[in-house]
Amino acid sequence: MATTSFTKKTLGFETVEPAVTPPPPSADTGFARRPKLGGPKSRKREIPEGLWTKCPKCSSMVFDKELDENLKVCPKCGNHFAIGARERIHSLVETCSFEEMDAGMISVDILEFTGVASYKEKLEAYQKSTGLKDAVITGIGRIGEFRVALGVMDFAFLGGSMGSVVGEKLTRLIEAGTDKGLPVIIVSTSGGARMYEGMFSLMQMAKTCAALAYHAKSKLPYISVLTHPTTAGVMASYASVGDLIIAEPGAMIGFAGPRVIKDTTQAELPPGFQTAEFLLDHGLIDAIVPRKEMKERLTFYLDFLTEAKRQTAPAA
Ligand SMILES: [Zn+2]
């Protein structure tokens, strides 16, 4: 699999309010900002781009090259920056073992949705800025000695929102896993269902979970990996029904945003509410795994979860 060049993603996730529909990564109109080419007001011409990134947690300036080599984890404080789907896949699977599925699948603007910008325009802008066709990449690859059906979401594409394409690609992935007798691993990051597709996006919750139910009937394991942030319709469907649910450190995980919950319940929320650490303490997730240990730990879990199946399989 080709590794695309790493793009800087400092999208300010801390401000994300995970309502049913995710806010777009940029704070203003929701349109991906097109790079301005050499306007007189562009300060970026003077500061060389892509050299340093300031860590939002410890405020250190980190060399981008060092950050990339460290899988986008701050070497000083361990803060996990956002990582693109392709980089993530590259960090998990064995070299050249990943075969992508449904790479060309794109959304149809079925509702002809128009807000500040039309859905069609948004899709085109994000396809251009991210190089992705939609918010998930799926395929079959090998982690250690285990072949797995792997789906990885990308927050940079419309806030990792789940529309028909995300739902359909994941469903086909899970079904392929069932057919081929493979474990499924889905790495989630999402602001929730994609409002531009209305009911069609909500339908994906049921569809993906139904496919997972058939997968489970075949006694095959499903590992859900939650990364920052995983919220709303995605957390309320496939992300929370793993046989094992693991998360990256510090990931924000929840359904509605803290402000909505606070307003609804009229109660003070406990400290650390909706973080991976809080949810581990309260039993919603099974483990917190740092990104650099993810591949090794997944291999260990796959070995453990498939042991019985291997022993009962007829000798080849
Ligand atoms: Zn840091």
Side-chain angles (χ1 to χ4, degrees):
M1 188 195 73
T3 51
T4 49
S5 60
F6 296 162
T7 44
K8 283 178 72 174
K9 293 191 188 79
T10 47
L11 300 175
F13 294 140
E14 291 70 23
T15 61
V16 167
E17 176 66 37
V20 172
T21 301
S26 56
D28 47 14
T29 60
F31 239 150
R33 279 190 209 124
R34 284 156 204 253
K36 283 179 193 153
L37 295 174
K41 288 174 193 162
S42 168
R43 280 191 64 225
K44 289 196 172 167
R45 275 175 71 87
E46 289 126 51
I47 305 164
E49 238 186 284
L51 274 181
W52 299 88
T53 297
K54 189 177 179 184
C55 173
K57 199 174 162 194
C58 71
S59 300
S60 326
M61 295 299 285
V62 189
F63 245 135
D64 278 2
K65 195 166 171 277
E66 196 182 356
L67 200 57
D68 288 342
E69 283 166 2
N70 211 32
L71 298 178
K72 295 272 170 78
V73 176
C74 174
K76 306 263 165 43
C77 72
N79 178 44
H80 283 51
F81 287 76
I83 186 171
R86 290 201 185 278
E87 294 164 76
R88 168 93 62 186
I89 291 167
H90 184 64
S91 78
L92 291 177
V93 301
E94 305 309 318
T95 312
C96 299
S97 74
F98 189 76
E99 283 173 47
E100 190 172 346
M101 293 167 57
D102 306 306
M105 195 187 290
I106 51 167
S107 269
V108 180
D109 184 12
I110 192 121
L111 302 180
E112 295 177 8
F113 190 100
T114 306
V116 178
S118 75
Y119 179 40
K120 225 173 169 176
E121 287 172 311
K122 271 182 192 289
L123 281 174
E124 281 166 12
Y126 278 94
Q127 281 162 358
K128 213 170 162 184
S129 68
T130 61
L132 299 166
K133 295 271 191 263
D134 213 292
V136 73
I137 297 177
T138 56
I140 311 279
R142 194 160 50 76
I143 299 179
E145 59 186 284
F146 302 99
R147 280 184 83 219
V148 294
L150 175 68
V152 178
M153 299 187 74
D154 197 317
F155 198 85
F157 194 98
L158 270 169
S161 53
M162 173 180 56
S164 308
V165 170
V166 169
E168 181 65 19
K169 281 176 84 166
L170 286 175
T171 303
R172 289 185 187 194
L173 175 80
I174 298 159
E175 287 174 348
T178 310
D179 286 347
K180 296 175 199 291
L182 301 177
V184 169
I185 297 176
I186 299 176
V187 183
S188 297
T189 173
S190 177
R194 189 173 295 173
M195 68 166 180
Y196 314 106
E197 295 188 23
M199 189 58 84
F200 294 96
S201 67
L202 296 178
M203 268 298 296
Q204 309 310 315
M205 295 170 68
K207 190 168 81 181
T208 49
C209 284
L212 282 170
Y214 280 111
H215 184 257
K217 261 192 178 175
S218 303
K219 304 253 183 283
L220 294 162
Y222 162 45
I223 303 176
S224 174
V225 182
L226 313 177
T227 69
H228 180 72
T230 300
T231 57
V234 167
M235 190 54 199
S237 59
Y238 57 84
S240 60
V241 296
D243 296 305
L244 261 182
I245 305 175
I246 58 183
E248 283 192 338
M252 187 182 123
I253 297 157
F255 181 58
R259 202 179 57 218
V260 175
I261 297 174
K262 211 173 155 183
D263 288 351
T264 311
T265 60
Q266 297 291 317
E268 274 307 310
L269 302 174
F273 182 67
Q274 291 189 326
T275 59
E277 289 73 12
F278 184 91
L279 297 174
L280 178 68
D281 280 349
H282 290 77
L284 190 87
I285 63 174
D286 299 300
I288 293 176
V289 180
R291 193 174 290 161
K292 286 181 85 176
E293 293 170 28
M294 190 62 82
K295 183 178 173 178
E296 196 187 312
R297 290 282 285 276
L298 284 175
T299 313
F300 173 78
Y301 294 143
L302 287 166
D303 186 41
F304 175 76
L305 290 168
T306 57
E307 194 183 3
K309 197 128 189 137
R310 281 200 305 275
Q311 282 174 359
T312 53

